[in-house]
Amino acid sequence: MALESNVDPAVDGRTNYDYRSDDVDRPALVADLERLVDCEVRADSYSKALYATDASAYEATPIAVAFPRSPADVAGIVEYCRERTIPVLPRGGGTSLAGQTVNRAVVLDFTRHMNDVLEVDPDCRTATVQPGVVLGTLNETLSPHGLKFAPDPAWGDKSAVGGAIGNNSTGSHSLAYGKTDAYVESVEVVLADGTVTRFGDVTLAEIDERADPDGDLENRIYAEVRRILEKESDRIDEAYPDLKRNVSGYNLDRLVAEARGNHLPGGEDTGEPGTVNLARLLAGSEGTLAIVTEATVTLEPVPETKAVALLCYPDLHDAMADVEPILEHGPAAVEVLDDVLIDLARDTAEFGAVTELLPQGTNATLLVEFYAEDDAEGRERVAGLLTDRCPDAAPESEPAAGAPRTDAETRALAAIEAYDEADRSTLWTLRKSGLPILLSRTTDEKHVSFIEDTAVPPAKLPEFVERFEAILESYDTYASFYAHAGPGVLHVRPLVNTKTDVGLEQLHGIADEVTDLVVDLGGSVSGEHGDGRARTQWNRKLYGEELWETFKGLKTAFDP
């Protein structure tokens, strides 16, 4: 709708964020819901268009958009929609990259009203929050206590806690912190029949007491959890990849590990056997099992200081071969940037100056960050890394006694050290230049996010990249490789023209072959962004038909 040329946009009501158009598509539905609940519901074309997209490549116009103020509003909407078989979709900041937050459904936006930090307990290091609170806002609230919510997705200034639980999000520092599921202590949820309940720690004996396949919805959920633990545990152990960064499918590997008291990949202790946390089962379920209306999460201390080294390599393959020996030094983050992004960054006003820091011949970088108690420790840890992995770099300090030394071939051309906040930020700016640069292409060919979230064991990164590039070459295209090399998660965005039949064939063919590749290497199709529309279908290959049926059975237990 164009604005009249003689009207000042600053005073035109249609420019207001709360503007809605007059054409309401489902007036009866809106009227019914607004009689039942104490929140606003919209079904006009303008409002629906705002929620038809997220940060992914997908678009789906919702049936309506609601802005709940309480769990009672959520329950009322769910009950009404269930009786009429209308889908309901919870949404946070819309930062999902696999299309999780768009659908032809009644979309629930929690960020407008249900966005409060309800309680902070610094002594217990916990916070109780509503699902719409943005991670950046939560961390600002926690800052005076020297605490933070540890998972740090790149768009933390937009991502909501509910979305982090839905995707089981993590970020650049997962080497230190793992995924969101490790920090979810309990949740209040609305189930598919409108029941409001809580999930958290529960013993296996309590599950047995509550399990009843012929009982109410909660009883049936506990019955299915018991069945999975009794009948499917061995199959889950065998099928799930041995990775710190796997969020494909439901979070059943954690459920089984907690029941048995086993350690998770990466060494996370799940505690004594015989107790599971059903709140963590919801992590990564993308709103398909229940709708979170409140969560209690555990917190981590903010590091005293940090130290950064940027290692420069002649090509991506050398950088990938260096990841595994770098991990021996215990970094908090290892981030990769390839030649595609470095070349694009050189041509931008915003990032070009940063690329001038790179020595000639640099076609890939690894940004390595350490947490430290003080500046001296940070310098010693960087010195230990450079002495081992880039001995020609002449580090500014001496490594600590006993610093790791590996026997791997040295590959880095040079290294840049950074200790104060401004210098560290400069190097991180180069790493974070990736996505904005890729999204800035104005041609019909775009770097599309459909396989941008693969994960493999770090030791297999060199083989993975080599075989991945061969797949891309067979489809006459190429991609940019960047992001979280440390835990083996590469964001890979092939250049594809989705407006052509050839482009669509590339999408499906590349995704199919790359799924075979990650399965062959013991990897996952999603390391942090979730399955959504882009990757759910590939779980059949990743886990096999029997576990695919288990996923369907769990979904049916929550939503019969």
Side-chain angles (χ1 to χ4, degrees):
M1 181 183 297
L3 297 176
E4 297 176 17
S5 59
N6 61 346
V7 177
D8 181 358
V11 299
D12 191 308
R14 293 171 296 179
T15 63
N16 187 281
Y17 176 78
D18 286 327
Y19 167 75
R20 65 170 79 182
S21 53
D22 296 329
D23 52 337
V24 178
D25 186 38
R26 302 281 291 269
L29 178 143
V30 172
D32 285 350
L33 285 176
E34 289 192 332
R35 280 194 297 269
L36 287 171
V37 299
D38 186 28
C39 71
E40 185 180 16
V41 180
R42 296 184 178 186
D44 63 287
S45 60
Y46 178 85
S47 298
K48 292 193 296 180
L50 292 177
Y51 291 85
T53 58
D54 57 8
S56 73
Y58 296 92
E59 179 175 347
T61 302
I63 294 169
V65 182
F67 306 93
R69 295 177 177 273
S70 68
D73 286 342
V74 178
I77 292 169
V78 168
E79 285 185 74
Y80 176 91
C81 291
R82 179 175 181 76
E83 291 172 0
R84 293 158 181 80
T85 63
I86 299 172
V88 178
L89 178 66
R91 173 171 169 138
T95 62
S96 294
L97 288 171
Q100 291 96 323
T101 62
V102 295
N103 200 1
R104 183 162 174 76
V106 174
V107 172
L108 307 181
D109 180 356
F110 288 100
T111 61
R112 180 168 293 193
H113 301 300
M114 296 183 67
N115 58 6
D116 287 337
V117 179
L118 301 175
E119 181 183 5
V120 175
D121 186 335
D123 294 331
C124 293
R125 291 184 182 174
T126 62
T128 299
V129 301
Q130 293 181 308
V133 66
V134 172
L135 299 183
T137 302
L138 172 59
N139 283 332
E140 287 176 8
T141 304
L142 298 172
S143 179
H145 305 290
L147 299 171
K148 66 176 182 176
F149 181 68
D152 59 342
W155 287 1
D157 59 338
K158 304 174 186 66
S159 303
V161 170
I165 295 171
N167 278 4
N168 203 4
S169 297
T170 180
S172 297
H173 297 90
S174 68
L175 288 173
Y177 296 124
K179 306 187 296 289
T180 292
D181 58 357
Y183 302 94
V184 180
E185 290 303 307
S186 64
V187 291
E188 175 189 78
V189 299
V190 175
L191 300 178
D193 64 352
T195 298
V196 180
T197 189
R198 286 187 175 272
F199 290 127
D201 283 334
V202 59
T203 67
L204 299 185
E206 289 171 326
I207 290 176
D208 285 340
E209 292 174 5
R210 300 182 189 184
D212 182 355
D214 299 317
D216 63 19
L217 183 54
E218 285 190 78
N219 296 142
R220 298 198 296 275
I221 289 170
Y222 282 103
E224 179 62 13
V225 170
R226 180 178 65 182
R227 190 199 68 79
I228 290 172
L229 290 173
E230 290 179 349
K231 305 293 186 182
E232 308 284 352
S233 290
D234 290 342
R235 182 178 293 119
I236 290 165
D237 272 345
E238 293 169 3
Y240 273 70
D242 186 18
L243 290 172
K244 290 184 68 173
R245 294 285 293 270
N246 170 42
V247 298
S248 274
Y250 289 125
N251 208 13
L252 300 182
D253 54 339
R254 182 172 198 114
L255 180 74
V256 170
E258 288 185 348
R260 293 176 168 177
N262 294 343
H263 284 78
L264 290 164
E268 183 187 338
D269 186 2
T270 61
E272 293 297 319
T275 298
V276 300
N277 190 310
L278 294 188
R280 294 172 186 159
L281 178 61
L282 300 184
S285 64
E286 301 180 2
T288 62
L289 300 182
I291 298 174
V292 175
T293 53
E294 184 180 294
T296 297
V297 296
T298 52
L299 311 170
E300 289 289 330
V302 175
E304 291 296 328
T305 191
K306 305 170 186 176
V308 170
L310 186 73
L311 299 176
C312 305
Y313 297 88
D315 60 44
L316 179 63
H317 298 273
D318 282 311
M320 292 297 92
D322 222 14
V323 171
E324 190 177 21
I326 287 173
L327 292 178
E328 294 294 318
H329 294 265
V334 181
E335 301 284 299
V336 65
L337 208 65
D338 73 350
D339 60 323
V340 174
L341 285 165
I342 291 172
D343 288 343
L344 289 172
R346 287 191 176 107
D347 295 331
T348 67
E350 183 177 1
F351 305 113
V354 183
T355 63
E356 293 178 2
L357 299 173
L358 304 178
Q360 187 173 2
T362 298
N363 291 299
T365 64
L366 289 176
L367 185 151
V368 184
E369 183 167 82
F370 295 97
Y371 289 161
E373 290 298 319
D374 53 37
D375 185 63
E377 182 193 354
R379 290 175 179 274
E380 287 180 348
R381 299 197 69 183
V382 168
L385 172 72
L386 299 189
T387 300
D388 179 36
R389 304 312 315 139
C390 190
D392 294 336
E396 297 177 12
S397 301
E398 291 296 320
R405 293 298 299 268
T406 67
D407 58 5
E409 177 186 349
T410 57
R411 299 172 180 272
L413 299 170
I416 302 170
E417 301 175 55
Y419 300 101
D420 65 58
E421 185 174 356
D423 290 341
R424 296 197 311 264
S425 179
T426 296
L427 298 185
W428 271 104
T429 295
L430 180 61
R431 155 61 186 90
K432 292 179 179 179
S433 69
L435 186 55
I437 290 175
L438 293 181
L439 294 177
S440 69
R441 281 192 180 270
T442 57
T443 63
D444 286 339
E445 288 185 314
K446 306 289 185 185
H447 287 281
V448 183
S449 59
F450 67 106
I451 47 147
E452 88 299 333
D453 198 25
T454 48
V456 297
K460 296 185 178 180
L461 280 171
E463 179 183 357
F464 176 66
V465 169
E466 182 177 356
R467 291 172 62 180
F468 203 135
E469 288 179 331
I471 292 171
L472 294 170
E473 185 176 355
S474 73
Y475 284 93
D476 196 27
T477 189
Y478 66 94
S480 171
F481 293 75
Y482 68 102
H484 318 307
V489 180
L490 296 185
H491 294 339
V492 188
R493 293 198 173 206
L495 191 65
V496 175
N497 184 352
T498 59
K499 295 181 179 180
T500 67
D501 289 340
V502 171
L504 295 177
E505 290 172 4
Q506 287 175 314
L507 287 178
H508 192 278
I510 292 170
D512 193 27
E513 293 194 36
V514 168
T515 300
D516 288 336
L517 172 58
V518 297
V519 170
D520 184 47
L521 295 180
S524 168
V525 294
S526 181
E528 67 175 333
H529 294 159
D531 295 321
R533 293 170 176 268
R535 289 177 280 275
T536 297
Q537 62 181 312
W538 306 117
N539 284 332
R540 288 176 180 266
K541 283 192 174 185
L542 183 61
Y543 294 118
E545 289 295 333
E546 290 180 323
L547 273 187
W548 178 260
E549 292 300 317
T550 299
F551 295 159
K552 289 166 61 177
L554 182 64
K555 173 65 168 64
T556 299
F558 275 87
D559 186 9

